[in-house]
Amino acid sequence: PKAPVRRGEQARQRVLRAALEVLAESGTAGFNIESVARAAGASKATLYRHWASPSALLVDAMDAQFQPLPDVSTGSPRADLNALLTMFVSVLSDSPFPKLMAAFIDAAEREPTLKDLHRELTDRRRRPLLRILAEAVQREQIAADADLDLLADLLAGPFFYRRFVAHRTIPPEMVTRVVDLVLESARP
């Protein structure tokens, strides 16, 4: 049986959710301890007991929210990449992720602590993609001298561009087309 969630943990999760809501609604300009406390129904003193600054609170909230996509491993790089990138497109299309990420990228440009977290979160999100590519190299499905970081960028980049720069919808067939083009370019 699961251990009951302590009241303190429930309150912490409520504050972290409120922090993300404030960030999504107000961006970094409106993100401060007072606005998060108000949204969470908590006192500023309570928040300051747990987080020394708005940046520290934002780091915890983003870290709790943005976990890597689940690992996929069928033995087929094409199937695995299609599955992983389809999940990624769903996050870009059907969640608060784009608003939060846009605000977070903006904040990371100004604050070194957030820049480090942004890099860490990005690295964490890339791991399943890089693992699939590395396994494909081991199975000789991708060239041994392939630049896996570049391949990961080529796989994820079009979706970020389409969503964050062009502000266009991502058509369902785009995942398969991108995967096929990248895999074709990396054949042994």
Side-chain angles (χ1 to χ4, degrees):
K2 285 185 171 181
V5 178
R6 295 188 332 261
R7 181 173 175 249
E9 183 57 26
Q10 287 175 336
R12 176 177 153 62
Q13 292 304 315
R14 189 176 69 240
V15 170
L16 294 175
R17 281 191 306 274
L20 294 176
E21 289 168 11
V22 169
L23 181 65
E25 291 171 12
S26 307
T28 53
F31 189 87
N32 55 53
I33 293 291
E34 184 175 329
S35 61
V36 174
R38 188 173 37 255
S43 71
K44 289 191 304 184
T46 298
L47 270 67
Y48 276 118
R49 265 196 303 276
H50 298 281
W51 296 281
S53 67
S55 294
L57 173 56
L58 183 55
V59 165
D60 276 0
M62 293 297 286
D63 192 39
Q65 177 69 28
F66 297 115
Q67 299 302 311
L69 294 171
D71 264 340
V72 180
S73 185
T74 65
S76 163
R78 184 176 190 273
D80 293 349
L81 292 170
N82 274 306
L84 191 67
L85 290 172
T86 297
M87 286 185 269
F88 176 58
V89 166
S90 178
V91 168
L92 286 177
S93 304
D94 304 324
S95 77
F97 177 80
K99 274 186 173 180
L100 296 171
M101 187 51 81
F104 192 63
I105 289 169
D106 178 56
E109 285 298 310
R110 302 173 202 319
E111 174 104 27
T113 305
L114 297 179
K115 188 178 290 190
D116 291 342
L117 176 64
H118 184 248
R119 185 178 308 110
E120 182 185 323
L121 290 172
T122 300
D123 288 346
R124 222 186 298 161
R125 284 191 150 298
R126 287 169 59 94
R127 281 184 200 135
L129 193 58
L130 290 168
R131 184 201 46 78
I132 291 169
L133 295 170
E135 287 177 2
V137 168
Q138 290 172 350
R139 289 191 298 270
E140 299 179 355
Q141 296 163 313
I142 290 179
D145 63 346
D147 182 340
L148 300 187
D149 281 318
L150 177 59
L151 292 177
D153 290 344
L154 291 171
L155 287 163
F159 305 105
F160 272 104
Y161 178 84
R162 174 91 41 144
R163 177 62 183 88
F164 289 107
V165 178
H167 300 286
R168 295 172 56 202
T169 58
I170 299 169
E173 71 279 0
M174 186 173 167
V175 169
T176 301
R177 292 180 68 202
V178 168
V179 168
D180 288 347
L181 284 168
V182 171
L183 288 178
E184 179 63 28
S185 74
R187 282 190 325 159

